[in-house]
Amino acid sequence: MLDLRLTRAARPAVQLRRLLVAAASAGTGFLLLSCLGYALKRPEAAGSGALRLAWCVVPVAATVYLALAVARTDPGTRPRPGLSAIGLGPARLMAVSALVTALSTILGSLVALSLFLHLRGDLTGLPFDGAAASFLAAGKSLPLAATLTLLAVVPVVATVAVALALRPRDPRPVTRPQRRYLPFVRQAGGPAVGGRTAGGPAASGRTGEVEAAGGGGAAGEGTLAAAAPAGVIDPRFTSPSLTDKADDDKGPGDTPAGLPWAVALVAAGLTAQAYAGRTPPTPAFTFTTVPTGAGLFLLGWLLTAVGLVLAAPGLTHLCGRLLQCARPGALRLLAGRGLMAEATRIGRPLGILCAVTAAGYAVTTLYDSPGRPFGPLSALGALVVAGCAFATLLTVAVETRQGRAETTDALLRLGAPATVLRGAAALRAVALLAFFAPLTLAIAALAAFPLTR
């Protein structure tokens, strides 16, 4: 009951984000059902139907990524002090997040099924004078097992992804113990020092000399060393071990890794597309017919998109550094350090949005002819993918603002004007737009150039 209250008592902005997940799930579910309708309408075109179903992987991935971003920013499922005492520990909150994601995606799948049945004429007759009957297999019975399987794809994948991403982790850093065998240090049950065991006469004599020379303080330290368990080295004589830091927890001075490899992937993708453009594939490339020579085009698009996603965190960090060049003031310093600190968290969805924009430009160039019109299902798929990418970026921006709330409150308590903080946020957005917009347009033009020849 408390879980339900936490879910219901969310703010309107949180409910709006959940509705966005449901809308994305509805669009993706309708695309999957339209593939089923195409297969029922044209059973002889099995290859074309399978290709349509394969293209649905892109909106499914975009919907799952949006659901994961929304689950991360849900304040009702964030661990708080005292919740574990009433049974809402990290594992229970993870289950609540997965349940909320499942409910949102199931709602979207039910909306998709209702709309699909309505357009087929199974509920109240054929709407729009039967315009949608050609690709929805109107008049033919739907197989129940296939329909339920396709509708369950998005809820199952999104729920599992949220459960895996928000699973409880040990908050303590991962330490790597170092075994050092130092002379003049008494180690109970430790290895031999100088040919004798640590508890032997020579070792005990040396240790006694150290304790006597150190006085009372040294005697106290000797008592602590003697009380150490067997096989454990006194931590006073070992260097602090390194801890593994996650990408999202890196400081402003840590540059995200992978930028050289990302640039190499983008270059390889553009090269593959340029090489494939020397011999245009025949017949023409569409979403339902992929000719034999179009594999290199698809490989180039894939490499370019992956390179953009991997390069975006490093480019965001570089953008933050450029903001702090040439004697920065307080405004530019705040904006630049904020971009550097949140480069990995903001860069990933920003890279996905850039990749989607470049791909959309290429697809628009591909379909810019009277013989190959942009159909309603293609428009719906593009709307789902682009909407999910943009909504994910906005959601991650909200998550970044929530993570920076303590720093913002501290600056306000120190007397920083609120206008300076709002100006820094606006400057970050303008800097990212000015940096990534020309880059995305240039890559999109280069990727679409072979298609225009």
Side-chain angles (χ1 to χ4, degrees), residues 2-3 6 76 79-80 82-93 96:
L2 184 57
D3 301 344
L6 286 175
R80 295 183 182 89
L83 288 182
S84 298
I86 58 176
L88 287 178
R92 186 73 174 273
L93 292 178
V96 172

Side-chain angles (χ1 to χ4, degrees), residues 23 43 48 81 83 118 247 300 310 324 333 337 349-350 369 377 388 442:
S48 180
L83 288 182
H118 176 67
D247 290 340
L310 294 179
Q324 303 175 74
L333 191 61
R337 297 294 284 183
L350 186 59
S369 63
L377 294 180
C388 286

Side-chain angles (χ1 to χ4, degrees), residues 240-254:
S241 58
L242 298 177
T243 58
D244 297 334
K245 290 194 298 184
D247 290 340
D248 293 341
D249 298 331
K250 288 185 176 182
D254 298 329

Side-chain angles (χ1 to χ4, degrees), residues 68-287:
L68 182 58
V70 170
R72 287 180 182 273
T73 57
D74 196 343
T77 57
R78 186 171 301 167
R80 295 183 182 89
L83 288 182
S84 298
I86 58 176
L88 287 178
R92 186 73 174 273
L93 292 178
M94 179 270 295
V96 172
S97 298
L99 179 61
V100 171
T101 303
L103 291 177
S104 301
T105 51
I106 288 174
L107 176 62
S109 297
L110 292 178
V111 172
L113 178 61
S114 302
L115 181 61
F116 184 77
L117 294 178
H118 176 67
L119 292 178
R120 276 171 46 91
D122 295 337
L123 299 180
T124 59
L126 283 174
F128 307 113
D129 296 331
S134 58
F135 58 89
L136 297 183
K140 293 188 176 182
S141 60
L142 291 176
L144 181 61
T147 304
L148 294 180
T149 301
L150 291 177
L151 289 177
V153 168
V154 175
V156 170
V157 176
T159 304
V160 171
V162 169
L164 291 178
L166 302 182
R167 67 186 185 276
R169 295 181 177 90
D170 192 355
R172 295 172 298 180
V174 180
T175 58
R176 299 173 181 174
Q178 300 179 358
R179 302 184 66 85
R180 289 190 176 185
Y181 306 122
L182 302 177
F184 312 111
V185 179
R186 181 167 61 191
Q187 302 174 2
V193 179
R196 299 183 180 181
T197 59
S204 61
R206 294 288 183 92
T207 308
E209 294 174 3
V210 174
E211 292 176 356
E221 294 178 357
T223 304
L224 292 175
V232 177
I233 302 175
D234 193 341
R236 296 170 297 157
F237 302 97
T238 59
S239 60
S241 58
L242 298 177
T243 58
D244 297 334
K245 290 194 298 184
D247 290 340
D248 293 341
D249 298 331
K250 288 185 176 182
D254 298 329
T255 304
L259 183 58
W261 291 104
V263 174
L265 283 177
V266 172
L270 294 177
T271 303
Q273 295 177 59
Y275 183 78
R278 298 173 58 186
T279 56
T282 306
F285 176 81
T286 61
F287 282 130

Side-chain angles (χ1 to χ4, degrees), residues 321-409:
R321 283 191 178 276
L322 293 178
L323 275 179
Q324 303 175 74
C325 294
R327 299 172 180 261
L331 186 63
R332 284 199 295 145
L333 191 61
L334 279 176
R337 297 294 284 183
L339 278 182
M340 292 171 63
E342 305 292 343
T344 302
R345 185 178 296 175
I346 297 179
R348 289 169 183 168
L350 186 59
I352 292 176
L353 182 61
C354 293
V356 169
T357 304
Y361 183 85
V363 169
T364 304
T365 304
L366 177 66
Y367 277 82
D368 192 15
S369 63
R372 288 176 290 176
F374 206 66
L377 294 180
S378 301
L380 177 61
L383 180 62
V384 168
V385 174
C388 286
F390 187 70
T392 302
L393 181 60
L394 294 181
T395 304
V396 172
V398 173
E399 180 186 3
T400 304
R401 181 182 178 183
Q402 293 175 355
R404 212 171 43 241
E406 296 182 359
T407 305
T408 304
D409 294 341

Side-chain angles (χ1 to χ4, degrees), residues 270 437-447:
L270 294 177
L439 177 65
T440 304
L441 291 178
I443 293 178
L446 291 175

